Amino acid sequence: MTIVETFEPSPLRLSHLDALESEAVHIFREAAAEFERPVLLFSGGKDSIVMLHLAMKAFWPAKVPFGLLHVDTGHNFPEVLAYRDRTVAEHGLRLEVAKVQDYIDDGRLRERPDGTRNPLQTVPLLDAINQHRFDAVFGGGRRDEEKARAKERVFSLRDEFGQWDPRRQRPELWSLYNGKHRPGEHVRVFPLSNWTELDVWQYIEQEKIELPGIYFAHQRAVFGRGGMWLTAGEWGGPKDGEPVELRSVRYRTVGDMSCTGAVDSTAATLQEIIAEIAASTLTERGATRADDKLSEAAMEDRKREGYF
């Protein structure tokens, strides 16, 4: 009698990055199938860059079936805006820009005494959503960033005023997402919810994704305020007694220049940044975002108002 040996194929095991990518691609495809007018928030920051990369993968070889939206504070870093425009042109994408400066010029918004414009983004964002009738808005929020984001759903329902009500959020068991909404409401969709900052950087390295140079260590003229290194600019810094000095810094996150701090760093490569992040005990927003330090519930308040 001949004995025939049989071998059971081993199950396919994805790396944790491949599993996160697969989940994000699934979220993009689910939202694109369920909503009529989605849009992706794109600032040229690393999280929105990774989101766009995932969206292009999700629908390849077709083009991304939705446009991009950026709420421009007028105080964004020039390197990041240049990257944004270059990326849009390179991939033939549609970009809508809602400008905070327009709202200040016509009196719909007032400048804050501290010069920070990040808290002023809510009204232009909601107006753009209403004007273009966007019913799904992809955002780059991650649960590891801040406690107000930690309890957020992947599909986050917003009412007709763009506000968030915890009592109306739906369970998401077995990765089943409920996008039902009434006319005038919309859903914020967060494909990177389960990612960490380290995951994002490791994925950028794996996929060889280009980033603005601001994320890598470089010599920059900065001044100290509130325990952070800020860049001088038209927003009003520095003040008297805040000397400017040249330091080797990089940015872990980017936003309004008035509230986004740099960190001392010599990490000039992806491998060095990954090692630096792995050793860090502070989240990127906790370490470098002054707008999150305005109060204990700063991000929670802004989320309820419709910003996040």
Side-chain angles (χ1 to χ4, degrees):
M1 181 175 67
T2 303
I3 299 177
V4 178
E5 293 185 357
T6 60
F7 296 91
E8 292 292 332
S10 59
L12 178 63
R13 295 181 180 177
L14 298 177
S15 70
H16 82 285
L17 291 180
D18 290 335
L20 289 171
E21 178 190 78
S22 178
E23 178 188 55
V25 165
H26 168 67
I27 292 167
F28 272 114
R29 290 173 177 168
E30 283 289 302
E34 192 165 349
F35 296 95
E36 293 183 5
R37 298 178 66 86
V39 70
L40 189 150
L41 294 176
F42 185 77
S43 64
K46 70 180 188 310
D47 295 318
S48 63
I49 291 170
V50 168
M51 272 207 307
L52 179 58
H53 180 86
L54 290 163
M56 289 192 291
K57 271 199 165 188
F59 303 105
W60 181 265
K63 286 190 174 182
V64 175
F66 41 79
L68 312 180
L69 172 63
H70 181 210
V71 182
D72 185 354
T73 68
H75 293 164
N76 296 97
F77 292 94
E79 304 98 311
V80 179
L81 291 181
Y83 179 95
R84 179 201 70 182
D85 295 340
R86 187 169 66 251
T87 299
V88 168
E90 179 181 344
H91 297 288
L93 302 167
R94 292 176 287 113
L95 173 67
E96 296 287 342
V97 180
K99 297 182 178 181
V100 171
Q101 186 64 54
D102 291 343
Y103 284 72
I104 294 172
D105 290 344
D106 63 21
R108 285 176 289 176
L109 290 174
R110 291 184 179 180
E111 288 275 21
R112 292 168 51 90
D114 59 6
T116 299
R117 288 187 177 179
N118 255 25
L120 303 182
Q121 290 178 294
T122 302
V123 174
L125 171 61
L126 296 180
D127 282 356
I129 292 171
N130 291 329
Q131 177 185 349
H132 298 284
R133 295 183 290 111
F134 295 132
D135 54 359
V137 180
F138 294 104
R142 306 189 320 269
R143 293 188 177 120
D144 76 319
E145 290 182 276
E146 202 270 343
K147 58 187 177 184
R149 302 186 182 219
K151 56 188 177 184
E152 189 58 276
R153 300 285 196 272
V154 174
F155 275 34
S156 176
L157 180 66
R158 305 304 169 98
D159 66 18
E160 61 270 26
F161 302 105
Q163 297 179 338
W164 177 83
D165 183 348
R167 296 168 297 183
R168 296 190 63 205
Q169 305 308 309
R170 291 82 176 260
E172 294 178 338
L173 303 175
W174 306 293
S175 298
L176 297 175
Y177 306 113
N178 183 352
K180 289 184 179 181
H181 59 285
R182 299 167 185 161
E185 297 179 337
H186 71 276
V187 174
R188 303 286 172 90
V189 182
F190 302 109
L192 305 184
S193 282
N194 294 324
W195 297 52
T196 66
E197 183 185 8
L198 186 59
D199 292 331
V200 169
W201 280 105
Q202 290 176 331
Y203 187 74
I204 288 169
E205 180 188 36
Q206 173 180 289
E207 299 293 301
K208 299 179 173 58
I209 300 173
E210 180 191 357
L211 293 179
I214 197 171
Y215 281 109
F216 300 88
H218 57 288
Q219 293 291 315
R220 198 178 192 94
V222 294
F223 64 93
R225 178 183 295 175
M228 298 189 303
W229 296 114
L230 299 177
T231 298
E234 296 179 358
W235 57 271
K239 299 178 181 178
D240 292 338
E242 294 177 335
V244 175
E245 53 185 291
L246 191 65
R247 302 184 69 91
S248 175
V249 299
R250 73 174 194 86
Y251 286 83
R252 290 177 65 180
T253 180
V254 296
D256 193 291
M257 293 173 66
S258 63
C259 63
T260 305
V263 294
D264 288 307
S265 176
T266 58
T269 67
L270 289 173
Q271 294 82 2
E272 290 171 345
I273 290 174
I274 289 170
E276 186 178 271
I277 296 299
S280 176
T281 58
L282 289 174
T283 67
E284 58 193 291
R285 296 192 71 91
T288 65
R289 293 298 287 267
D291 52 330
D292 290 348
K293 301 177 183 180
L294 295 175
S295 73
E296 283 292 320
M299 180 58 75
E300 187 74 29
D301 294 340
R302 294 169 71 195
K303 182 170 75 169
R304 288 181 181 276
E305 294 168 0
Y307 164 72
F308 166 59

